[in-house]
Amino acid sequence: MSYQPLLMNFEEAAELRKTLGTDTLLGNALARDIAQTDAYMADVGIEVPGHGEGGGYEHNRHKQNYIHMDLAGRLFLITEDSKYRDYIVDMLIAYATIYPTIESNVSLDSNPPGKLFHQTLNENMWMLYASCAYSCIYHTLSDAQKQQIEDDLLKQMIEMFVVTYGHDFDIIHNHGLWAVAAVGICGYAINDQASVDKALYGLKMDKVSGGFLAQLDQLFSPDGYYMEGPYYHRFSLRPIYLFAEAIERRQPEIGIYEFNNSVIKTTSYSVFKTAFPDGTLPALNDSSKTISINDEGVIMATSVCYHRYEQTDTLLGMANHQQNVWVHIAGKTLSDAVDAADEIKPFNWGSLFVTDGPKGEKGGVSILRHRDSQDDDTMALIWFGQHGSDHQYHSALDHGHYDGLHLSVFNRGQEVLHDYGFGRWVNVEPKFGGRYIPENKSYCKQTVSHNTVTVDQKTQNKFNTALAETKFGQNHFFKADDDTLQGMSGRISDYYDGVDMQRSVLLAEIEEFEKTLVIDIYRIKADAEHQYDLPVHHSGQIMRTDFDYQVESKLKPLGADNGYQHLWRVGSGKVDNGSLVSWLHGNSYYSMVSSATQDSEVIFARLGATDPDFNLRSEPAFILRQTGQDHVFASVLETHGYFNESIEASVGARGLVESVTVVGDNEVGTVISIHTTTGNTYLYGISNQAEAAQAGAHSVTFAGESYTWTGAFAAL
């Protein structure tokens, strides 16, 4: 028999059959898929609904149909149970019967509609998975069945994507990835090499203007980062791996897994390496707060990277965290390795800087990680890449946020300083049809919704996408070779007219502290005086401060626009010599101790103002507000203590950091001082010089005291 299923040949299916009923990652995945598919077949059967809105009943039924056809296809090959084959045949025939006669659905946004769904993206996904299922049963079908399914369904779908909507087929974008993967996989499934070639090389067949190879060449930075951020990046991994596996099996001479310096591996690792220690992905640009390395695309990537690229302990740690593998021969390789391992440690990708931009020239994301003796990981991330939108490719590529120099922090199993993520109730039809809510623009994308400085209550780059697309940050320094003191720094220029900013973050392991200190030095150079707001978005309850504050008896928004209209002013207090704000989150206490200039203010806020449809989550924040021309915010985040209400335990509710002071700042360097309740003082110097001068010696004098150090930063 010359025809083989696309993603799993008959010999591989026989190998997977041996794992049925075993207590392994693959055996458990198979048991789950069998239970899920059997239940769906019994409860729903063959139902082909009509049109519906995004996220509505019809939408979800079409989606569940393709998901379960795909599962049934692999289960048929593995179990050899004909009920799965019969289910796919009946479903595909049912769709083929109605598809030629139905009109296009109705689109409520800029994406063109399909016949089944409100946008062609979902139709691409349907065809891709249906084609995978079709390839699993192809060898069992009569010629008449093949003709009906191909002529009345699959070929008509290809015609829609490459002809009717040909102007969108070659877009370099995550939607474009799904389009080319769907057409390519369908082409392989129905033996239509002409369609496969269009999917591989683009409609012009030039390998540049479109097609899968152009996507792999142009979508990612040299470090594999995708400009729209991890949320849309992980969504792109599924079509990449599904199509790559089909290509490798049908046209191995292309060498798809080695293409462009093994970009498939590089871009997968970029997603893996940005994950927080609990596996969730950071919210950069439009992002769900719940997406993690348990996502289907990341599970595929973990399995295939281990099977085809390298077999590392870190990938074993990822798989052990996921407690899942792809039901595929690659998943079996990984599952067997996990089963055979004596010990698997939690995954840890270490500290790293990941470049953004097609040539790695447009800033990026810096990540510092520190694992302590209790195997608890502290992770700090600052973002200063390009805006996550680029209309030179397509109007749909519009997920960028105005968040240059945003800071996120994670430890003790939770995100401590966080990003709101996107404003969207995915597939919840009453909430704006499950699409992006208006507040995504009016709050979530605005600078004040991020942990970075806003100037005069405005948003970076005037909330102008075209302007923002011309800007990007620069790496100032990154050094992580000493686990006791690591540092990273980024710069942005003219995100506000006449204002340059530099943010430097250190992770300092100091013996008297329970946890690594996160030291944040935010330096601003301006050509005029401004109001500077540094928001701190956290979770949990405020425990104490070291300054007096007043709580508002009547709530009012903090401003009229730029996201401030969505923040209630809950309370505020004046500070002169610094501030301490401490809060309880989960079982841990956190204290943010900050420097302050004369007549500064701390504002306590809560999200939810000017929100008539209750679209936004109610979350707390506080804002460090200071005025001046050139300015430095210096803060230390200390993790301390333990709280357990069930046993009435509260230990270490007060931290050790008493004050943080900016000793001095000039073009050579910035020096800060951290004073503790135990009488100790810790000094740190940060280089403000260009990269070429950072490695050398630095000498500064402030208030008659001289400070010297070597390198980009140092403990003095």
Side-chain angles (χ1 to χ4, degrees):
M1 182 182 299
S2 59
Y3 186 98
Q4 288 274 9
L6 286 180
L7 304 179
M8 181 188 305
N9 63 39
F10 298 116
E11 293 74 24
E12 290 168 338
E15 285 298 307
L16 268 63
R17 194 173 305 131
K18 297 174 183 177
T19 66
L20 287 168
T22 63
D23 185 18
T24 61
L25 292 183
L26 181 58
N28 294 334
L30 276 168
R32 174 204 64 211
D33 288 353
I34 289 170
Q36 177 184 331
T37 307
D38 287 356
Y40 189 81
M41 289 164 54
D43 294 344
V44 178
I46 307 301
E47 180 187 354
V48 180
H51 290 160
E53 56 195 336
Y57 175 84
E58 295 85 357
H59 173 109
N60 285 310
R61 181 59 64 226
H62 288 305
K63 178 179 178 179
Q64 291 300 316
N65 284 347
Y66 76 65
I67 288 172
H68 289 92
M69 276 196 288
D70 174 58
L71 292 174
R74 284 176 286 159
L75 292 178
F76 170 61
L77 295 175
I78 295 167
T79 68
E80 298 183 308
D81 191 328
S82 62
K83 69 181 180 182
Y84 299 116
R85 177 262 181 203
D86 295 343
Y87 172 74
I88 297 169
V89 174
D90 291 345
M91 187 69 79
L92 289 175
I93 292 293
Y95 273 97
T97 300
I98 63 115
Y99 201 79
T101 64
I102 57 177
E103 299 294 328
S104 292
N105 205 330
V106 177
S107 176
L108 295 178
D109 55 31
S110 60
N111 297 316
K115 285 190 171 186
L116 304 177
F117 296 94
H118 68 292
Q119 61 175 351
T120 49
L121 170 64
N122 302 91
E123 206 107 345
N124 293 150
M125 299 172 76
W126 195 99
M127 186 176 79
L128 185 153
Y129 283 106
S131 298
C132 290
Y134 180 65
S135 82
C136 293
I137 63 168
Y138 181 91
H139 59 289
T140 72
L141 298 175
S142 67
D143 289 342
Q145 288 172 320
K146 292 175 185 175
Q147 183 174 2
Q148 183 180 5
I149 293 169
E150 294 182 13
D151 290 351
D152 294 345
L153 181 61
L154 299 178
K155 289 180 180 178
Q156 291 200 22
M157 285 185 151
I158 290 177
E159 177 84 2
M160 178 194 299
F161 303 143
V162 302
V163 178
T164 306
Y165 297 130
H167 56 284
D168 281 341
F169 183 72
D170 280 341
I171 60 171
I172 306 299
H173 180 237
N174 73 76
H175 288 201
L177 265 174
W178 279 99
V180 298
V183 169
I185 284 175
C186 187
Y188 281 136
I190 65 176
N191 295 306
D192 176 5
Q193 189 61 40
S195 291
V196 173
D197 290 344
K198 291 174 184 175
L200 282 170
Y201 308 120
L203 296 181
K204 295 180 181 179
M205 302 295 289
D206 60 6
K207 306 181 187 179
V208 175
S209 60
F212 190 57
L213 300 185
Q215 300 275 358
L216 294 181
D217 253 338
Q218 300 174 37
L219 268 182
F220 310 108
S221 81
D223 291 332
Y225 188 81
Y226 176 46
M227 67 176 297
E228 288 188 288
Y231 175 77
Y232 283 95
H233 196 169
R234 58 88 210 174
F235 183 60
S236 74
L237 291 182
R238 267 192 287 165
I240 286 174
Y241 276 98
L242 291 166
F243 196 18
E245 275 295 301
I247 294 167
E248 183 69 11
R249 291 159 185 270
R250 291 295 177 92
Q251 294 182 266
E253 67 277 7
I254 291 177
I256 194 63
Y257 282 109
E258 290 73 43
F259 177 76
N260 193 12
N261 297 314
S262 299
V263 65
I264 291 178
K265 172 191 172 184
T266 302
T267 200
S268 301
Y269 275 42
S270 179
V271 178
F272 301 165
K273 290 177 178 180
T274 57
F276 287 125
D278 70 344
T280 56
L281 296 174
L284 300 176
N285 299 314
D286 284 343
S287 304
S288 165
K289 297 289 290 183
T290 61
I291 294 299
S292 72
I293 63 170
N294 293 328
D295 174 80
E296 182 180 354
V298 184
I299 289 168
M300 285 182 181
T302 309
S303 295
V304 178
C305 282
Y306 193 87
H307 178 70
R308 292 196 178 274
Y309 287 120
E310 58 181 357
Q311 300 184 348
T312 67
D313 290 342
T314 308
L315 290 175
L316 288 182
M318 290 235 337
N320 196 47
H321 178 97
Q322 293 162 335
Q323 281 296 292
N324 199 1
V325 292
W326 188 21
V327 177
H328 180 271
I329 195 64
K332 185 176 187 302
T333 302
L334 183 53
S335 176
D336 289 348
V338 170
D339 196 45
D342 294 329
E343 179 187 15
I344 300 177
K345 288 209 165 196
F347 71 91
N348 182 2
W349 293 96
S351 300
L352 65 146
F353 170 60
V354 180
T355 60
D356 194 5
K359 297 180 181 178
E361 80 285 20
K362 295 185 176 181
V365 56
S366 282
I367 294 172
L368 298 179
R369 291 185 174 96
H370 178 274
R371 178 167 288 180
D372 65 16
S373 58
Q374 287 78 44
D375 280 339
D376 180 52
D377 293 318
T378 294
M379 172 175 159
L381 173 156
I382 55 172
W383 166 248
F384 48 95
Q386 62 183 322
H387 189 66
S389 306
D390 196 332
H391 287 83
Q392 70 172 314
Y393 293 124
H394 193 267
S395 61
L397 211 162
D398 189 25
H399 295 291
H401 283 210
Y402 299 83
D403 58 346
L405 296 182
H406 164 84
L407 170 66
S408 288
V409 176
F410 185 106
N411 71 13
R412 287 187 173 169
Q414 56 196 8
E415 194 175 4
V416 183
L417 305 184
H418 60 78
D419 189 317
Y420 183 91
F422 62 28
R424 184 182 180 188
W425 296 85
V426 180
N427 283 353
V428 180
E429 183 276 326
K431 286 291 191 183
F432 209 59
R435 294 174 287 121
Y436 284 92
I437 57 177
E439 289 78 11
N440 193 56
K441 287 186 176 180
S442 62
Y443 180 73
C444 304
K445 289 190 174 191
Q446 303 283 345
T447 301
V448 75
S449 74
H450 302 92
N451 300 319
T452 189
V453 168
T454 68
V455 177
D456 299 327
Q457 295 192 200
K458 304 296 183 184
T459 288
Q460 293 171 358
N461 291 309
K462 303 175 183 178
F463 201 72
N464 183 310
T465 300
L467 177 62
E469 287 172 1
T470 67
K471 307 286 186 68
F472 47 87
Q474 297 287 346
N475 182 41
H476 179 49
F477 62 71
F478 181 87
K479 189 170 182 291
D481 54 351
D482 180 358
D483 196 48
T484 63
L485 183 62
Q486 306 178 61
M488 58 184 175
S489 183
R491 286 175 163 173
I492 59 176
S493 180
D494 279 329
Y495 279 40
Y496 294 99
D497 292 341
V499 180
D500 292 342
M501 299 181 176
Q502 171 186 304
R503 189 170 209 167
S504 306
V505 175
L506 309 180
L507 289 190
E509 179 185 318
I510 302 173
E511 185 175 355
E512 70 171 310
F513 290 94
E514 292 179 47
K515 300 290 294 181
T516 299
L517 293 184
V518 180
I519 303 169
D520 179 26
I521 304 169
Y522 202 125
R523 183 172 186 260
I524 303 166
K525 300 292 287 183
D527 59 8
E529 187 170 297
H530 297 280
Q531 173 188 292
Y532 301 121
D533 285 355
L534 178 54
V536 179
H537 295 85
H538 65 94
S539 297
Q541 197 76 17
I542 297 293
M543 291 290 104
R544 70 184 184 104
T545 71
D546 65 352
F547 57 89
D548 294 329
Y549 58 87
Q550 298 74 45
V551 176
E552 302 292 338
S553 60
K554 184 177 181 180
L555 296 183
K556 294 181 180 179
L558 276 174
D561 51 20
N562 298 306
Y564 281 81
Q565 74 273 25
H566 291 300
L567 289 167
W568 293 118
R569 186 184 184 103
V570 178
S572 60
K574 295 290 185 181
V575 295
D576 288 326
N577 299 312
S579 63
L580 179 151
V581 179
S582 186
W583 66 95
L584 174 65
H585 179 197
N587 297 118
S588 290
Y589 295 99
Y590 298 93
S591 292
M592 176 75 79
V593 184
S594 304
S595 64
T597 54
Q598 193 91 18
D599 296 324
S600 296
E601 187 177 17
V602 176
I603 301 168
F604 296 100
R606 182 164 286 273
L607 185 56
T610 324
D611 183 20
D613 297 318
F614 301 102
N615 281 335
L616 294 168
R617 302 189 302 267
S618 179
E619 296 182 348
F622 59 91
I623 295 173
L624 308 176
R625 173 169 289 177
Q626 300 177 26
T627 59
Q629 185 171 344
D630 297 343
H631 185 67
V632 176
F633 286 98
S635 302
V636 172
L637 177 66
E638 180 186 358
T639 303
H640 54 91
Y642 171 76
F643 173 75
N644 186 325
E645 190 171 56
S646 65
I647 61 172
E648 300 181 1
S650 177
V651 179
R654 289 177 172 82
L656 298 181
V657 177
E658 186 173 63
S659 64
V660 176
T661 304
V662 178
V663 176
D665 171 76
N666 61 25
E667 293 305 310
V668 175
T670 304
V671 174
I672 70 159
S673 169
I674 302 170
H675 187 67
T676 70
T677 58
T678 57
N680 291 322
T681 298
Y682 301 93
L683 293 167
Y684 293 90
I686 299 289
S687 169
N688 297 328
Q689 295 184 299
E691 184 176 2
Q694 286 177 11
H698 299 79
S699 180
V700 294
T701 299
F702 302 122
E705 293 287 334
S706 295
Y707 305 89
T708 60
W709 71 93
T710 301
F713 60 91
L716 307 181

